[in-house]
Amino acid sequence: MRTENRIEIGFLLFDGFPMACLTSVIEPLRAANEIAGQEAFCWSLVSEKGQKVQSSAGVGFEAERSLAECKDIGILFLLSSPTSVFDDPSFGNGVLRSLGRHGAVLGGISAGVFPLVRSGVMQGHPVSVHWCYEAAFKAEFPDMDARSEVIVRTASRTTVSGAAAGFDLALHLIQDRLGGDVAHEVACWFQHPMMRGAGVRQQVPSSNAPGTGDSLPPLVSRCVELFAGRLSQPISIAEVAQNMKVTPRQIERAFKQATGQSPSHYYRSMRMKAARQMVVYTKDPIPEIALAVGYGSVAPLVTHYRAAFGLSPSEDRRRINRFRVEDNAPLPSV
């Protein structure tokens, strides 16, 4: 198999990384090499010190090189949990910044954007953030340009929202290097129906109610978008109705029909999901989290949080921290 002008890709793995995000990029690249009859892409598994890494599924991966051995890498993707950090942040972040200065393309897949942004290499670059990490990401990085697109690429930075988006990214790399015909054949090999690109937004669960489909009616969708922009400064349903130029009763009916919930309960659920992201994935004090989701004090947050999740924010955080320390259990990652 010919190897001229091959692209070398490193996958920097942290404990708790989502395994699907790794295989969803490697497998289409492997298929592209077979179809094209050349080693257009090669890859290696990287860890901070070359140590073995455990995925979120508990599967161990042997690293093939340490981060210090990546000076000649062309592309480096970070895969991690949202809380992942380098054992030696000064060294690890310094290597990433050096790679960026010397022309390597740096990227993050799913929660890998968290250590990527912490390193300082994403200043001035937009970031694709998975919807389930959005509140936690914005709480930690309020000045970053966080986007809901499945893939966000610039000339030197690439971020994608999750495993399926990682497959789309691999198809783009294949198209860039080997052409659209090979990319299309790879997609057909894996029965991947389409290659999503820039500007395609993530699909987000619209409701806990079954049978609502992938999209909400226009009125409900516009209301949800307004709710999402007002998590820290809640808006009344009457104000929403005035903004939409309809009556509160019309909004009530539309939400009940589309989601099985009242708009106020749907709105509260959005705020609770955002609160839980910050409880689980940040170290922000509970009073600050309460303010971030529109509560003037902790007490009503605790009441609503317990109703939604069966325990208080503090109890939830203690449970997660106990897993981290005692069981070394990985946090949920996608």
Side-chain angles (χ1 to χ4, degrees):
M1 186 175 285
R2 304 193 311 275
T3 61
E4 65 267 19
N5 300 318
R6 68 183 183 182
I7 298 173
E8 187 167 359
I9 302 171
F11 295 92
L12 176 56
L13 309 179
F14 293 78
D15 281 325
F17 80 94
M19 188 167 59
C21 290
L22 176 65
T23 58
S24 68
V25 180
I26 289 178
E27 280 299 298
L29 297 181
R30 185 268 307 169
N33 284 347
E34 292 188 27
I35 292 168
Q38 60 176 289
E39 193 176 22
F41 303 95
C42 65
W43 49 85
S44 56
L45 304 185
V46 182
S47 63
E48 181 178 358
K49 299 174 183 176
Q51 78 278 14
K52 186 174 182 178
V53 180
Q54 189 174 67
S55 73
S56 59
V59 179
F61 286 78
E62 297 285 352
E64 300 164 81
R65 62 166 84 179
S66 69
L67 185 57
E69 298 170 315
C70 290
K71 295 178 182 178
D72 59 343
I73 207 94
I75 303 173
L76 184 67
F77 292 123
L78 278 64
L79 291 88
S80 73
S81 78
T83 57
S84 296
V85 294
F86 288 113
D87 289 338
D88 184 350
S90 178
F91 170 77
N93 294 336
V95 172
L96 293 185
R97 291 194 292 269
S98 176
L99 287 171
R101 286 195 302 270
H102 288 86
V105 174
L106 301 177
I109 301 174
S110 189
V113 300
F114 281 81
L116 184 69
V117 174
R118 290 183 190 119
S119 73
V121 300
M122 294 302 292
Q123 290 299 319
H125 296 275
V127 183
S128 171
V129 179
H130 192 288
W131 62 265
C132 80
Y133 302 135
E134 181 182 11
F137 186 89
K138 289 182 177 178
E140 184 173 354
F141 311 111
D143 298 325
M144 290 299 300
D145 182 5
R147 300 186 181 179
S148 62
E149 285 90 344
V150 295
I151 299 175
V152 175
R153 298 178 77 186
T154 65
S156 60
R157 302 290 184 268
T158 299
T159 53
V160 297
S161 59
F167 197 107
D168 293 317
L169 171 62
L171 293 178
H172 282 281
L173 294 174
I174 294 165
Q175 180 174 263
D176 293 345
R177 175 70 178 81
L178 297 172
D181 288 344
V182 175
H184 177 69
E185 187 168 346
V186 170
C188 291
W189 269 32
F190 293 94
Q191 294 296 288
H192 194 73
M194 61 179 292
M195 181 171 68
R196 296 172 298 176
V200 178
R201 295 169 64 89
Q202 300 171 42
Q203 285 193 326
V204 178
S206 59
S207 168
N208 290 329
T212 57
D214 290 335
S215 61
L216 292 168
L219 174 60
V220 177
S221 181
R222 294 199 308 273
C223 290
V224 170
E225 193 170 326
L226 186 55
F227 290 161
R230 293 288 297 270
L231 294 181
S232 61
Q233 296 178 312
I235 186 172
S236 71
I237 302 305
E239 290 175 291
V240 173
Q242 186 176 20
N243 186 286
M244 299 292 166
K245 294 180 172 54
V246 297
T247 66
R249 179 61 182 154
Q250 285 176 284
I251 292 178
E252 290 279 347
R253 285 199 302 266
F255 266 85
K256 283 285 189 179
Q257 185 174 3
T259 73
Q261 302 179 58
S262 70
S264 58
H265 278 86
Y266 192 101
Y267 192 11
R268 181 189 297 171
S269 176
M270 291 176 65
R271 292 162 66 194
M272 289 304 98
K273 289 175 182 177
R276 189 161 196 270
Q277 286 184 33
M278 288 181 271
V279 167
V280 172
Y281 299 125
T282 77
K283 297 180 180 179
D284 293 353
I286 303 302
E288 289 186 14
I289 293 174
L291 289 174
V293 294
Y295 291 94
S297 64
V298 170
L301 170 67
V302 171
T303 299
H304 293 155
Y305 196 100
R306 191 184 297 277
F309 305 116
L311 69 176
S312 72
S314 296
E315 291 167 343
D316 203 5
R317 179 167 281 176
R318 282 196 296 271
R319 179 183 64 86
I320 290 295
N321 286 338
R322 186 168 63 250
F323 287 167
R324 287 172 177 145
V325 174
E326 294 179 3
D327 300 329
N328 196 30
L331 291 178
S333 52
V334 292

